[in-house]
């Protein structure tokens, strides 16, 4: 091409980034010792290695030590040894280390960026301008959290030794998201990068050596699923933080069930990119390019489902195709490259397989007419139209450069389509009418919503999912909680209830009024499906009454009633507050009766019973007062954008209450869930259920809408199991014996519900620590809505 032709074609020439520094680092480094354990470089004890290669050429980059169980054990031991000193060091001391890491990374940022692009295949523009700066920002931001820990998180302590397992799509950034908050909180870590992308973590460990990170505080091991599983299963670890696929997330949820390990899961997604007809279509096209083709679509929150309003669909798709034709597929080290290779041949094959299956199911897959480089794992950007909501391309996470397109007629349909997925990570809403966008955002089941934008991230703003996209948040204040343990007033172990048809009761207790308490479902007293009853004994072992023996069908009915109850989650916080105050008022009116009941059923003294009733009323008052005060925040990340961290209810919450202090524990668990707008299916104390059934009338008089609270009496362990397996239950709070808790955690993987158990122990419900923020935090999801401003 001569100069004139070049001028007319307006083609960019190649603009390669120099790679000599990265090559020199690769040549100089002794990869035979690539495990960073206790501040030293070690080979794998078993001598195993694995290879990492360059996605743009398939060429071998290095042979890396492959950690076995003995190496993981050594790393955990080192982290445990370093923990006491690190967690006891001052916040200022830890802040200085975090700051030093951030600064050292800044000094080597180009090397990090080039190495990342070589190892992962992502375009240098992205690693240079997004991954590395964001990773640095994370460390510097968290220096502040380290220093302010005692002020901002009173009554919390570091959770301990943390095991962290990350994926290959943002190797350094995911490492930063994991290590920075853990160190700020005073934890020590064992982190495993993904086997496709081990290199920048090795460079990061070198930085730790130089930045004054004490030995054993950061341990970086390498390897694949086996090494990951060895971390997950190691008994010396108190918390697992995982980012990766939903499939492996579920394996980890199951593996950690009953272990008492704290768990956060950042998993996959199938995020909606919604374009309303009043959107600025050209901006939306640019947003979409970033939304789905950033990092070749290998992004957990990729806007992989385009939902476009019918009236503009044709014009919009035409613009998308034109723009797709201009995307430059090529070397990741060329600064003009938009799309680099996928990370590995296996990933390329997976993407091709999903496209073929989508086409078989009726999708029309279009690609621009462009040539691919002759070697490397490249794939053209792909647009699938004619996609039915059930098509594999609309439901499965492709994790590649593939966009599935659907149309919608009106706002309701857009929301319905957007929520028609088992995931709930992110969504992007495009409209020039910000009222409409902010009307839609709260209705989307996703942890992050970008208005007129996409893929915005910041260390100050929490990131994480709803539903099968996992639980827990990374970044900001809520991310810090993931590495802290709240002080709770832990009580004695709960013994498994004796099984059998009924408790041994000899005769009617003279003080009792004969009771035939039913269940409370959808605002009505309902006969149990099985038509069986459970005898309830008084403290003296006499028959105090009978309650319905709830079964699987009753729980299903209760969950359906809770799900159908819209007035409660839709009510204003002030309205919920008033109803809870009224609940307290009505309970107070019957305080004597409840106190007498407590004496009769539990055998406590009249004084203790009176105190429990008073505390229950006080607790209702507390949550009535907090209903409109436990609010979200507004973040101001370093861009022209405000981020609204909204508190939203988890949804339908199952609650299984223990036997001690049966009135107070019931109120202490139900009230915070209700205060935040959740609807509840509660299984009260198995031994003393009459305290809860006596509440039916109080509830009926308290203006709680039908279905806001549903009460199913019966065998706690059995009903907990049904709640755990029910995919329409979003959260489960469980105070039962250790075995029931462990089983419920394992059984919760269907929809990855948020499970909180007492790990087989109850609480001292009378303690002030059995109330407040620690409970409210479990009753909400934090949704971050990003709203840019300016022209
Ligand atoms: P993956 O689940 O296969 O692997 C992730 C990590 O887990 C790797 O380090 C792997 O070695 C390890 N691993 C695999 N099996 C394991 C096991 N049984 N026990 C313990 N560890 C095990 O995921 P991937 O293919 O590396 O990454 C892609 C996935 O990550 C996508 O689903 C993507 O959406 C998700 N992701 C989520 C986020 C988020 O923040 N939500 C961010 C990035 C990526």
């Amino acid at each position: 091409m001569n100069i004139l032709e070049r001028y007319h074609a307006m083609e960019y020439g190649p603009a390669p980034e120099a790679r000599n520094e990265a090559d020199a680092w690769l040549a100089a480094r002794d990869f035979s010792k690539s495990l960073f354990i206790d501040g030293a470089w070690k080979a794998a004890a078993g001598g195993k290695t694995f290879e990492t290669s360059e996605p743009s050429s398939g060429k071998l980059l290095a042979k890396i030590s492959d950690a076995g169980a003995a190496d993981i054990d050594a790393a955990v031991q080192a982290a445990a040894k370093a923990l006491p000193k690190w967690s006891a060091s001052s916040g200022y001391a830890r802040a200085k280390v975090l700051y030093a890491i951030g600064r050292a990374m800044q000094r080597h940022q180009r090397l990090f960026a080039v190495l990342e692009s070589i190892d992962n295949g992502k375009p240098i523009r992205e690693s240079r301008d997004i991954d590395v700066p964001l990773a640095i920002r994370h460390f510097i931001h968290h220096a502040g959290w380290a220093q302010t820990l005692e002020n901002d998180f009173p009554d919390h302590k570091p959770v301990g030794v943390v095991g962290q397992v990350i994926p290959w799509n943002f190797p350094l950034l995911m490492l930063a998201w994991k290590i920075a908050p853990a160190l700020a909180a005073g934890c020590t870590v064992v982190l495993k990068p993904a086997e496709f992308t081990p290199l920048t973590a090795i460079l990061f460990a070198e930085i730790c050596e130089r930045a004054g990170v004490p030995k054993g505080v950061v341990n970086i091991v390498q390897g694949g699923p086996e090494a990951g599983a060895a971390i997950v299963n190691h008994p010396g670890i108190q918390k697992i933080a995982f980012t990766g696929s939903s499939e492996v997330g579920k394996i980890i949820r199951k593996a950690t069930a009953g272990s008492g390990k704290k768990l956060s899961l950042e998993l996959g997604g199938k995020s909606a990119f919604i374009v309303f007809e009043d959107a600025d279509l050209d901006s939306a096209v640019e947003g979409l390019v970033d939304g789905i083709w950033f990092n070749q679509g290998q992004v957990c929150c990729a806007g992989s489902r385009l939902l476009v309003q019918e009236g503009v669909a044709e014009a919009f798709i035409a613009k998308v195709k034109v723009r797709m034709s201009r995307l430059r597929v090529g070397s990741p080290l060329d600064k003009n490259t938009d799309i680099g290779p996928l990370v590995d041949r296996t990933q390329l094959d997976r993407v091709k397989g999903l496209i073929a299956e989508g086409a078989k199911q009726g999708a029309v897959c279009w690609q621009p007419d462009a040539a691919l480089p002759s070697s490397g794992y490249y794939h053209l950007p792909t647009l699938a139209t004619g996609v039915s909501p059930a098509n594999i391309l609309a439901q499965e996470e492709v994790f590649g450069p593939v966009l599935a397109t659907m149309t919608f007629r009106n706002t309701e349909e857009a929301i319905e389509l957007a929520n028609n997925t088992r995931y709930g990570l992110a969504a992007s809403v495009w409209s020039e009418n910000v009222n409409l966008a902010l009307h839609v955002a709260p209705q989307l089941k996703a942890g992050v919503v970008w208005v007129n934008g996409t893929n915005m991230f910041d260390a100050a703003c929490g990131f994480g999912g709803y539903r099968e996209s996992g639980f827990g948040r990374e970044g900001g204040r809520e991310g810090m909680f993931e590495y802290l343990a709240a002080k709770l007033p832990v009580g004695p172990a709960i013994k498994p209830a004796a099984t059998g048809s009924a408790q041994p009761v000899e005769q009617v207790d003279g003080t009792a009024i004969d009771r035939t308490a039913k269940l409370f479902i959808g605002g009505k007293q309902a006969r149990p499906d099985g038509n069986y009853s459970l005898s309830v004994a008084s403290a003296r072992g006499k028959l105090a009454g009978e309650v319905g023996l709830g079964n699987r069908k009753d729980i299903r009915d209760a969950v359906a009633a809770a799900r159908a109850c819209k007035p409660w989650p839709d009510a204003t916080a002030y309205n919920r507050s008033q109803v809870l105050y009224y609940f307290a008022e009505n309970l107070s009116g019957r305080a004597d009766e409840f106190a007498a009941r407590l004496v009769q059923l539990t055998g406590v003294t009249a004084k203790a019973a009176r105190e429990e009733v008073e505390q229950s009323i006080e607790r209702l008052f507390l949550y009535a007062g907090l209903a409109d005060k436990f609010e979200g925040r507004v973040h101001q990340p370093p861009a022209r954008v405000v981020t609204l961290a909204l508190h939203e209810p988890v949804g339908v919450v199952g609650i299984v209450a223990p036997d001690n202090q049966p009135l107070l524990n019931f109120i202490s668990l139900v009230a915070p869930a209700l205060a935040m707008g959740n609807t509840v299916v509660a299984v009260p104390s198995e031994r003393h259920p009459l305290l809860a059934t006596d509440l039916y009338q109080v509830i009926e008089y308290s203006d709680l809408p039908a279905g806001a609270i549903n009460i199913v009496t019966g065998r706690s362990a059995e009903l907990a199991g049904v709640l755990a397996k029910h995919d329409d239950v979003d959260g489960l709070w469980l105070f039962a014996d250790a075995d029931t808790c462990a089983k419920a955690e394992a059984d919760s993987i269907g929809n990855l519900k948020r499970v909180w158990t007492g790990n087989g122990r109850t609480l001292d419900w009378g303690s002030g620590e059995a109330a407040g923020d620690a409970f409210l935090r479990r009753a909400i999801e934090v949704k971050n809505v990003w709203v840019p401003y300016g022209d």
Side-chain angles (χ1 to χ4, degrees), residues 127-393:
S127 48
R128 183 195 64 194
D129 299 345
I130 298 169
D131 295 47
V132 178
L134 270 176
I136 294 166
R137 157 118 177 102
H138 230 75
F139 281 100
I140 294 181
H141 176 80
H142 280 84
W145 283 124
Q147 203 160 355
T148 183
L149 199 68
E150 283 173 19
N151 264 343
D152 275 87
F153 305 94
D155 301 325
H156 282 79
K157 57 182 180 52
V159 76
V161 174
V162 180
Q164 304 179 316
V165 179
I166 58 173
W168 44 260
N169 58 342
F170 292 90
L172 184 69
L173 187 58
M174 292 300 106
L175 172 151
W177 283 20
K178 293 276 177 290
I179 292 184
L183 297 197
C187 299
T188 55
V189 307
V190 176
L191 175 132
K192 187 193 84 62
E195 54 275 38
F196 290 146
T197 51
L199 295 182
T200 44
I202 293 174
L203 180 59
F204 175 82
E206 289 182 359
I207 293 275
C208 289
E209 284 183 299
R210 283 182 244 151
V213 179
K215 283 182 183 169
V217 168
V218 172
N219 302 277
I220 295 184
V221 292
Q222 303 280 358
E226 268 179 47
I231 293 177
V232 166
N233 296 322
H234 198 291
I237 285 177
Q238 284 82 44
K239 145 117 195 160
I240 298 292
F242 172 76
T243 298
S245 59
S246 296
E247 190 191 345
V248 175
K250 289 184 180 192
I251 294 173
I252 292 176
R253 166 68 289 186
K254 216 166 174 172
T256 53
S259 67
K261 285 177 188 152
K262 198 173 162 120
L263 180 62
S264 49
L265 299 175
E266 300 286 349
L267 310 176
K270 192 76 203 176
S271 300
F273 189 100
I274 308 169
V275 181
F276 284 97
E277 59 193 4
D278 65 350
D280 171 347
L281 296 189
D282 291 320
S283 299
V285 170
E286 288 312 307
L288 186 64
V289 166
D290 182 42
I292 179 62
W293 291 299
F294 173 50
N295 201 19
Q296 293 71 250
Q298 302 167 127
V299 181
C300 53
C301 51
S304 53
R305 283 185 303 146
L306 168 65
L307 311 180
V308 55
Q309 197 155 11
E310 256 176 20
V312 294
E314 208 177 307
F316 188 71
I317 303 256
K319 280 175 186 282
V320 172
K321 285 185 174 171
V322 170
R323 185 67 179 85
M324 281 172 77
S325 309
R326 298 208 186 108
L327 290 173
R328 298 170 65 94
V329 183
S331 162
L333 287 182
D334 189 323
K335 287 168 219 157
N336 294 321
T337 289
D338 297 306
I339 298 189
L342 303 190
V343 73
D344 189 73
R345 176 164 303 286
T346 51
Q347 185 65 8
L348 181 62
D349 292 345
R350 184 172 176 273
V351 170
K352 284 181 176 167
L354 282 164
I355 293 175
E357 184 56 33
K360 223 194 274 170
Q361 294 177 6
V364 178
C365 296
W366 182 89
Q367 294 174 338
D369 189 15
L372 290 180
S374 53
S375 65
Y377 313 128
Y378 291 91
H379 195 286
L380 284 173
T382 304
L383 175 74
T385 50
V387 177
S388 71
N391 189 294
I392 196 163
L393 295 178

Side-chain angles (χ1 to χ4, degrees), residues 441-507:
Q443 298 183 67
L444 298 173
K445 298 268 177 264
V448 183
V449 179
W450 295 293
V451 171
N452 293 329
T454 189
N455 283 339
M456 289 183 261
F457 311 100
D458 185 54
C461 306
F463 181 89
Y466 286 23
R467 299 173 167 180
E468 289 183 45
S469 292
F471 42 75
R473 293 288 179 270
E474 293 194 306
R477 199 183 158 74
E478 52 266 36
M480 285 299 296
F481 282 114
E482 301 298 332
Y483 292 94
L484 294 166
K487 237 205 253 160
L488 285 173
V490 176
I494 300 174
K495 291 199 197 96
T499 47
S501 60
Q503 293 163 22
V505 278
E506 294 155 16
Q507 60 187 82

Side-chain angles (χ1 to χ4, degrees), residues 19 58 62 92 102 113 146 163 175 249 288 325 397 417 429 475 526 609 623 735 745:
R19 56 178 291 163
Y92 176 45
L175 172 151
L288 186 64
S325 309
E397 183 184 42
L417 275 174
V429 182
Y623 289 114
F735 286 86
E745 284 181 337

